[in-house]
Amino acid sequence: MIKKAFIFDLDGVIVDTAKFHFIAWQRLAASLDINFTEVENEQLKGVSRVNSLKKILEWGNKEISPEVFQSKMDQKNEEYLELISTLSTSDIMPGVHDFLLRLQQRQQPIALGSASKNARPILEKLGIKNLFEVIVDGTNVTKAKPDPEVFLNACDQLGYDPQESVVFEDSVAGVQAANKAGMISIGLGEQEILHEADEVFEYFTDMPNDYINTLLSKKK
Ligand code: B16
Ligand code: MG
């Protein structure tokens, strides 16, 4: 039986937390008198918390002390945790749960490859943590996307080569990371934004019925 390592990003692929990251960053930017719109936010998707704050400060041409930097990061995370406090199974993006279950039925290995340090509690809230054989998140990596470390770590733990791995991503940085690693990259979102991906769908529900077979025989 052909097998591949199926690696899923979390925010924006499995659950629509991207909008909550945006709200929390926008509030934080406002507290620093920095204007922050959805256009800039696109560049923060898949980017670690610390690098996101660095970028926002760069855009606003602001410098803050290391102590204030730390407290701003904490403040952003508190706001974010408050916003996601009511997450549940009903917040899983359309078609994802079914896709994961079909992979599991076919005994295909599944991993998470996320930049978020909140990934594990979020998967628990969604009730799908047990579907992931391997979880690599922001607490396990040193290099942020577009560096491929998070995905290479995941396929390595599953015992697969990068060429036998498929990555599902909603961010430009994440698609670039998968491509750099030589993995098949499937974008979830807008074609114009994710044009570097091997294929793009708005949602999992837009994939053809036998898409798992297509992916299993797909070459980079
Ligand atoms: P946290 P992903 C990323 O998750 C988000 O896309 C990005 O917006 C966020 O800043 C980053 O996680 C860090 O998240 O603050 O929860 O540690 O898309 O790689 O699953
Ligand atoms: Mg994402």
Side-chain angles (χ1 to χ4, degrees):
M1 195 205 312
I2 312 172
K3 285 201 182 186
K4 279 202 168 120
F6 288 85
I7 309 173
F8 291 77
D9 172 53
L10 177 68
D11 295 314
V13 168
I14 292 177
V15 62
D16 191 12
T17 38
K19 64 182 179 220
F20 298 128
H21 278 297
F22 173 54
I23 297 169
W25 280 129
Q26 199 170 39
R27 286 183 191 160
L28 190 100
S31 79
L32 289 161
D33 277 327
I34 298 172
N35 188 34
F36 176 71
T37 67
E38 260 177 279
V39 176
E40 283 109 27
N41 186 59
E42 207 53 56
Q43 296 180 50
L44 298 189
K45 285 188 180 171
V47 174
S48 66
R49 204 181 303 164
V50 57
N51 286 346
S52 298
L53 182 52
K54 281 184 190 162
K55 277 183 191 262
I56 290 173
L57 291 169
E58 245 172 64
W59 294 327
N61 216 359
K62 283 251 152 69
E63 278 185 31
I64 54 177
S65 69
E67 294 75 31
V68 177
F69 189 98
Q70 186 57 49
S71 82
K72 290 289 172 192
M73 284 222 296
D74 295 345
Q75 191 184 325
K76 186 270 173 179
N77 198 46
E78 274 164 36
E79 291 257 15
Y80 176 67
L81 291 179
E82 178 69 36
L83 289 164
I84 62 163
S85 61
T86 58
L87 275 190
S88 70
T89 310
S90 63
D91 294 297
I92 299 175
M93 303 273 276
V96 177
H97 204 171
D98 187 54
F99 194 86
L100 287 166
L101 291 174
R102 277 188 285 135
L103 286 175
Q104 191 193 40
Q105 269 163 15
R106 299 180 62 163
Q107 295 169 350
Q108 296 292 333
I110 305 173
L112 190 87
S114 165
S116 175
K117 293 187 171 170
N118 297 302
R120 285 159 209 264
I122 291 176
L123 288 179
E124 261 161 34
K125 271 178 195 283
L126 300 176
I128 54 170
K129 188 159 169 265
N130 62 335
L131 290 171
F132 294 83
E133 209 171 300
V134 163
I135 295 177
V136 185
D137 65 16
T139 64
N140 309 118
V141 291
T142 51
K143 292 176 231 138
K145 300 170 189 174
D147 188 283
E149 183 186 4
V150 63
F151 298 139
L152 288 172
N153 187 329
C155 79
D156 188 48
Q157 283 194 56
L158 287 173
Y160 284 75
D161 287 337
Q163 293 74 14
E164 302 169 306
S165 305
V166 182
V167 168
F168 300 94
E169 256 295 344
D170 72 312
S171 73
V172 175
V175 166
Q176 289 170 342
N179 288 344
K180 241 181 244 175
M183 299 169 169
I184 295 168
S185 55
I186 307 298
L188 274 304
E190 290 179 40
Q191 170 67 38
E192 299 89 86
I193 295 173
L194 302 174
H195 57 87
E196 289 173 64
D198 293 317
E199 250 182 292
V200 180
F201 298 94
E202 192 174 356
Y203 296 110
F204 277 79
T205 42
D206 298 316
M207 292 171 183
N209 275 341
D210 58 350
Y211 196 57
I212 292 177
N213 280 338
T214 307
L215 287 173
L216 286 172
S217 52
K218 204 174 174 72
K219 296 252 181 304
K220 181 72 182 172

